[in-house]
Amino acid sequence: FLLNQLLILQPDFGFQIALAHVNYNVHSKASEAEKLCRLSAKTSQIPVHVKSAQYDASDSSFEAWARDVRYDFFRTLTEQHKYHWILTAHHFEDQLETLVMRDIQGGDWLTMLGIRESYGKIKRLMLEVRKNEIRKYIDKYQIQFIADPTNHDNSYMRNRIRNEILPEILRNDRDGI
């Protein structure tokens, strides 16, 4: 979705785009997702940067490790290629999940601000875009994507929040409880 939007805007604004992907090699579709990123870049005639990473269970939590690997990779790319911005596709529900997770973890006032729209060179332009809007757009324009099957694995705190806790909160909110 984000890449599609950037490709639509690119001719009018003249900015350059590169695609970055981290393959954590943790799910059955990891190689397929990497191939799709490479194909999307080739089709769009933009550079692609791919990092393959392997999680060691003796490291911190997978989620923390993956975040560190991803943002270290992005920072390295901005330095090596002089990129001005790193745009991520975090959306409204990602923000809700983060706030619920930080509340459960007893976050301080700073962490309770949630995902920042802007942090250094990192820009998260889609924090007000709802996931269902993204899905409708993807369906309408038949944009190919790979769903991460680990999103249904509730052993990860974020997934448990996404799949169990947040729907209950939203249901109670709609019901006026």
Side-chain angles (χ1 to χ4, degrees), residues 50-146:
V50 175
K51 177 176 182 72
S52 183
Q54 202 66 46
Y55 177 63
D56 179 349
S58 66
D59 285 330
S60 58
S61 75
F62 173 79
E63 292 159 310
W65 170 83
R67 184 178 51 252
D68 290 345
V69 167
R70 181 171 56 250
Y71 286 110
D72 286 347
F73 178 51
F74 292 164
R75 275 188 285 281
T76 299
L77 290 174
T78 60
E79 292 167 7
Q80 288 177 347
H81 300 279
K82 308 295 186 226
Y83 293 140
H84 296 283
W85 309 112
I86 300 164
L87 305 180
T88 71
H90 290 93
H91 53 75
F92 183 79
E93 282 76 6
D94 291 325
Q95 181 72 286
L96 288 179
E97 293 164 12
T98 297
L99 290 170
V100 170
M101 183 166 54
R102 290 181 178 166
D103 184 51
I104 290 169
Q105 294 171 330
D108 59 22
W109 70 270
L110 185 60
T111 62
M112 291 306 295
L113 294 174
I115 301 172
R116 297 180 202 177
E117 187 175 317
S118 182
Y119 186 73
K121 290 189 172 204
I122 300 166
K123 306 294 180 199
R124 300 175 182 100
L125 308 175
M126 297 174 38
L127 288 176
E128 295 182 21
V129 179
R130 302 294 299 252
K131 190 183 232 178
N132 66 340
E133 294 169 351
I134 295 169
R135 285 188 177 136
K136 286 178 190 174
Y137 186 91
I138 286 170
D139 289 345
K140 180 178 180 179
Y141 294 100
Q142 300 178 346
I143 297 171
Q144 190 176 3
F145 71 99
I146 304 293

Side-chain angles (χ1 to χ4, degrees), residues 29-69:
K29 295 189 176 184
S31 294
E32 192 177 338
E34 180 180 325
K35 286 177 189 171
L36 178 59
C37 286
R38 290 182 186 279
L39 178 62
S40 297
K42 184 177 181 180
T43 302
S44 304
Q45 299 179 336
I46 60 174
V48 62
H49 307 282
V50 175
K51 177 176 182 72
S52 183
Q54 202 66 46
Y55 177 63
D56 179 349
S58 66
D59 285 330
S60 58
S61 75
F62 173 79
E63 292 159 310
W65 170 83
R67 184 178 51 252
D68 290 345
V69 167

